[in-house]
Amino acid sequence: MIKKLYGVFAVLLMWFVLHILLQTPAIPNPLTTLYQTIKLAPVLLPHLAMSLVRILSAIVVSAVVGTMIGIFMAQFKKLDEVLAPIVYILYPIPKIAFLPILMLLFGLGETPKILLIVSIIIFQFLMSAKDAVKEIREEYLDSAKSLRIKGIELYKHIIIPAILPSFFTTLRISVGVSIAVLFFGENFSTKLGIGYFIMNSYAMVNYVSMYAGIVALSVFGLFLFYMIDRFEIILCPWLEK
C-alpha cells in the first residue's frame, strides 16, 4: 500500500513541477484536476462502466479461446504445424487498421470495438500458453503418467498450475494493451466510453476535464491491476513471498 501511495505522490509531484515550469493550459494544476475529477464522478462513472464492459468482454474471450488454442498447439504437433504459420503471419499485422473493416462487417455497435481488442490480445494468450506448456518438465508428465493421471485430472494438477504464472503476466500486459486500443476504438461511433469523454473534452478545449478523464482512466487501470494481483495470490499461492 505504501508503495502505491509513493507512486501516486511521485506522479503528482512531477505533474505539478511541469505545471509550474511550462505555465501552459495544456498542463493544468493537478489539484484543480483532482477536484474536477471528483466533481465529474457522476458523469465519468457511466463512461468507465461501459469501457469496463468492453475490456472485460474482450479479455474473457481472448483468455479462454487463446489459452485453449495455445495449450492444444503445444500438446498436438500436427495442430501446431497447421496453426503456427497462420499465427506467425497474423500476429505482426497492425490490427488497429481493421476497425473500419469490422465496422463494415458488424455495424456500428459494440461488436467491432470488442473484436478489435480480441484480434490483438488473443495472440498474446495463445503464445504465452503454448510456451508455458512446452516448458513443463518431462519428469512431471512422466510422473503423471505413472500415476495414471490423464484427461481433466492432468489439466487440473499439471498443465493449468504450470501456465498460471505466465497467464497472469499476459493478463497484465493485455489489460494495458486493451485500454490503449479501446481508447482508439471509442473515438468512433459512440458517445459513451472514457476514450470518447477524453477526446470530446479535448475537442472542446476543456483541458481540465480532459485530464480528469485521464485521471479516472488511471484509477480504472489501477483497479484492474489490483484485482489481477488479488486473483493471482488466490490462485498461485506458491508464488507469494
Side-chain angles (χ1 to χ4, degrees), residues 59-223:
I59 287 178
V60 168
V61 171
S62 301
V64 173
V65 177
T67 300
M68 288 178 60
I69 294 174
I71 291 174
F72 293 149
M73 286 177 68
Q75 288 186 299
F76 304 106
K77 188 175 179 181
K78 291 292 184 182
L79 181 64
D80 185 42
E81 290 175 352
V82 172
L83 294 183
I86 300 174
V87 171
Y88 293 153
I89 291 172
L90 294 178
Y91 189 27
I93 296 175
K95 285 99 180 162
I96 290 289
F98 290 166
L99 182 59
I101 299 172
L102 293 173
M103 291 171 67
L104 288 172
L105 292 174
F106 299 101
L108 303 177
E110 300 305 315
T111 304
K113 299 175 183 63
I114 294 172
L115 287 179
L116 179 64
I117 301 173
V118 170
S119 69
I120 295 173
I121 65 174
I122 191 171
F123 292 101
Q124 298 174 358
F125 285 102
L126 188 156
M127 299 300 292
S128 173
K130 178 183 174 183
D131 292 342
V133 172
K134 286 189 172 182
E135 289 176 2
I136 298 175
R137 295 169 62 176
E138 284 295 329
E139 50 262 40
Y140 293 158
L141 297 175
D142 292 338
S143 297
K145 288 179 182 178
S146 66
L147 294 172
R148 296 183 179 178
I149 298 175
K150 55 184 178 180
I152 298 298
E153 292 298 312
L154 180 66
Y155 286 92
K156 180 180 177 181
H157 296 291
I158 302 293
I159 294 177
I160 299 300
I163 70 172
L164 274 179
S166 61
F167 174 84
F168 280 108
T169 299
T170 304
L171 189 57
R172 290 186 183 90
I173 296 171
S174 297
V175 165
V177 173
S178 299
I179 292 174
V181 175
L182 185 66
F183 182 84
F184 172 80
E186 286 182 337
N187 285 284
F188 298 90
S189 304
T190 185
K191 290 189 176 180
L192 198 60
I194 194 63
Y196 166 80
F197 177 86
I198 292 172
M199 292 307 297
N200 185 60
S201 299
Y202 166 77
M204 297 174 67
V205 199
N206 190 343
Y207 295 130
V208 176
S209 292
M210 181 186 76
Y211 274 89
I214 294 172
V215 169
L217 183 61
S218 178
V219 174
F220 172 71
L222 184 64
F223 166 75

Side-chain angles (χ1 to χ4, degrees), residues 47-69:
H47 290 285
L48 289 170
M50 179 51 70
S51 295
L52 179 63
V53 169
R54 290 165 178 155
I55 286 176
L56 289 183
S57 299
I59 287 178
V60 168
V61 171
S62 301
V64 173
V65 177
T67 300
M68 288 178 60
I69 294 174

